[in-house]
Amino acid sequence: MPAVLATLGSAADTGHGAVGPLLIGLVVILTAARLAGELARRAGQPAVLGELLVGILLGNLHRLGIGWFQGMASDPILNLLAQLGVIILLFEVGLESTVRDMMRVGMTATFVAVLGVVTPFALGWGVGVWMLPGHSVYVHVFLGATLTATSVGITARVLRELGKSQTPEARVILGAAVVDDILGLVILAVVAGAIGATNMGQSLSLGPVAMVLLKAGLFLGGALALGTWLAPRLFHSAARLRGQGALLTTAIVFCFALAYLASVVGLAPIVGAYAAGLVLESVQWRDFTARGEHELEELIEPVATLLVPVFFVLMGMHVDLAAFARTEVLGLAALLTIAAIIGKQACALGAGGGLNRLAIGIGMVPRGEVGLIFAGIGLTLSIGGEPVIDQAVFSAIVIMVIVTTMITPQALKWSLARTRGPSAAQAASPS
C-alpha cells in the first residue's frame, strides 16, 4: 500500500499507469473525507470542516516521515476533479435561492449585504497593509476580497435544524448572504482581472478595473435575464426524452455552459455556475417530477458527494503547519479572524428595528466553502511568475475559515434563543 500511494502524481505513460494513481487517490480522499465529515457532524460541526481538517492532516504527515500522500495535492487530474467539484458546489449553492428570492429580499437584506461586503473588505485590506507591508497591493486587496464571503449553506443548515428558517431574521440573513456572494464574486472577478491586466503589462488604473467590473455586471445581468427566459424552454424540451438521467444531464449542461461562458469573458467559471443555480427553480422541471422523477437537488447530490470533497481535502493539503511556527503567520490568522467577525457584525447595523441584530450579524460570519474557494483561486493567481498568495498567507486564511465556521453554529443557536423584543414578534417580513 505505501508503495502504491507513493506513485501518486507520477503517472506512467500507459493508460493503466495513469489511472492507477488516480483511483487510489480517490479511494484515500473519499474515504478520509467521509469519515472526517461524519466525525464533524457528530461534533455539531459542518462536514466541510472535517474534510478540510483531514486534508491538513494528510498534507502534513510527511513531517512525521509518512510521505505516501505527498503527491496528491499537486496531482493534475485530482486538481481538475477538484475544480469540477467547485463548479458543482457553486451550482448547488445557487440552487438554494432563485432570482425571485433575490427580488423579494428587499432593501433591508440588500443594505445588510452591502455593509457585510464593504466593512470586511476594508478591514481585510487594512490587516494586509499592516501585517504584510512588503507584499504587493494585490495581496492586501485579495485578503479583503476573501473576507467578503459568507457561507449561505452553513447558516441555512443551522436555521433549518433550529426550525427558524421562516423567521424575519432568517429571511434577512439568507437574502443578504446570497447578495453577499454575488458581490464577493464580482470583487473577486475585478481583482483577478486587474492581476491579469498587470501581467499583460498594463498599469493598475481605473480603466482595466472598470472594464472587468462592467463585464462582470453585464455577464451576471445577461446570464440571469437570458437564463430565466431560456431555462423553462430548455427543460420543457428535455422532458420529451424518456430515458433516465435527462433532468440531471440538462441541468449539468446548463451549469457547465454558463461556467464556460464566464471563463470566455474573463471571469471565474464559478460565477457562471452560481448564476446557473440562481436561474433554475423547481417549476421549470415539473414535467419531470410529474412523472415521478426526483427533484434536481436530490439528483445533483451524488455528483457533489463524489467531487466536492476532493476540493476541500486538497485545499487542506495545501496548508503548511510549519508556517504556524512563525509568529507573524499566527498574528495574521488572528487578525484576519477578528476582522472577519467584526466586519460581519457591522452589517447587522443595516437591519431594521425590532429584529435580532446580533443573530443577523452572527449568521453572516461563517466563510466556510465560499471562503475556501476564494482562497483556492488566490493560489492560482500570480504576477510575473510569483504567486499572489503564498503558502503562509493561504494557511492563515484557512485558519480564519475554520474558526469562523466552527463558532457560528453554536453562536447562532445562542443568539436566536435569546428573547426578542416585543416588536420583533410582530415584525413584518423585511421587504
Side-chain angles (χ1 to χ4, degrees):
M1 182 71 169
V4 176
L5 290 172
T7 65
L8 286 170
S10 58
D13 292 333
T14 65
H16 292 297
V19 172
L22 171 64
L23 293 177
I24 195 63
L26 288 174
V27 167
V28 171
I29 288 175
L30 295 178
T31 302
R34 175 54 55 188
L35 294 176
E38 180 63 24
L39 289 175
R41 286 193 189 95
R42 294 188 181 189
Q45 297 294 335
V48 58
L49 190 59
E51 294 166 2
L52 177 62
L53 290 175
V54 80
I56 295 174
L57 174 64
L58 293 176
N60 287 273
L61 281 178
H62 66 277
R63 301 193 179 281
L64 300 177
I66 304 173
W68 306 338
F69 311 100
Q70 213 168 350
M72 293 170 61
S74 58
D75 184 276
I77 304 179
L78 287 176
N79 275 280
L80 181 61
L81 292 177
Q83 294 309 309
L84 287 176
V86 172
I87 290 172
I88 293 296
L89 175 61
L90 264 292
F91 181 55
E92 273 196 311
V93 172
L95 283 173
E96 294 181 357
S97 301
T98 66
V99 176
R100 294 181 184 180
D101 292 336
M102 288 176 56
M103 296 175 67
R104 283 198 295 258
V105 298
M107 290 305 298
T108 299
T110 302
F111 192 27
V112 169
V114 171
L115 287 175
V117 167
V118 173
T119 310
F121 181 78
L123 291 175
W125 189 333
V127 169
V129 171
W130 184 19
M131 295 295 294
L132 303 170
H135 285 62
S136 163
V137 65
Y138 293 111
V139 176
H140 308 155
V141 172
F142 197 87
L143 287 176
T146 303
L147 294 193
T148 64
T150 293
S151 173
V152 64
I154 290 174
T155 299
R157 264 184 229 112
V158 175
L159 291 170
R160 282 198 299 267
E161 290 172 2
L162 296 176
K164 301 283 189 179
S165 58
Q166 297 303 315
T167 62
E169 288 82 2
R171 287 194 289 271
V172 170
I173 292 170
L174 298 179
V178 171
V179 179
D180 245 19
D181 286 345
I182 293 175
L183 294 176
L185 288 172
V186 170
I187 290 174
L188 183 64
V190 170
V191 174
I195 291 172
T198 300
N199 284 328
M200 293 173 62
Q202 302 177 22
S203 59
L204 179 61
S205 63
L206 187 59
V209 172
M211 181 58 65
V212 176
L213 189 59
L214 179 63
K215 285 197 297 185
L218 289 176
F219 175 81
L220 281 170
L224 295 179
L226 178 63
T228 302
W229 175 85
L230 178 63
R233 293 161 176 78
L234 178 64
F235 282 89
H236 180 70
S237 299
R240 298 175 183 174
L241 303 174
R242 294 295 173 177
Q244 290 292 321
L247 173 57
L248 178 61
T249 301
T250 304
I252 290 181
V253 165
F254 186 70
C255 167
F256 286 177
L258 280 187
Y260 170 73
L261 289 176
S263 68
V264 167
V265 300
L267 303 177
I270 58 173
V271 177
Y274 188 77
L278 281 177
V279 164
L280 300 185
E281 49 186 295
S282 59
V283 69
Q284 296 166 354
W285 53 81
R286 60 187 173 190
D287 292 338
F288 290 95
T289 54
R291 66 192 192 202
E293 294 197 26
H294 293 285
E295 292 284 349
L296 178 57
E297 291 87 351
E298 298 176 66
L299 294 174
I300 202 76
E301 188 174 350
V303 181
T305 301
L306 172 65
L307 294 175
V308 174
V310 178
F311 170 75
F312 289 125
V313 173
L314 289 188
M315 284 298 97
M317 294 185 73
H318 283 292
V319 175
D320 183 9
L321 289 181
F324 296 109
R326 296 159 52 187
T327 55
E328 63 270 23
V329 175
L330 289 176
L332 177 62
L335 287 179
L336 284 177
T337 302
I338 294 170
I341 295 171
I342 293 176
K344 293 299 183 181
Q345 286 303 308
C347 75
L349 297 175
L355 294 174
N356 187 334
R357 292 185 176 182
L358 178 61
I360 290 172
I362 292 175
M364 301 289 286
V365 164
R367 271 37 178 205
E369 69 280 2
V370 185
L372 282 178
I373 290 169
F374 279 31
I377 290 176
L379 283 176
T380 67
L381 299 175
S382 61
I383 299 178
E386 293 294 323
V388 174
I389 299 293
D390 60 26
Q391 290 293 332
V393 175
F394 177 79
S395 298
I397 293 174
V398 170
I399 292 300
M400 177 274 295
V401 170
I402 291 174
V403 173
T404 58
T405 302
M406 287 184 66
I407 66 173
T408 298
Q410 294 304 320
L412 188 56
K413 290 176 185 178
W414 168 77
S415 62
L416 286 172
R418 299 177 69 211
T419 304
R420 297 192 296 168
S423 62
Q426 304 169 352
S429 173
S431 57

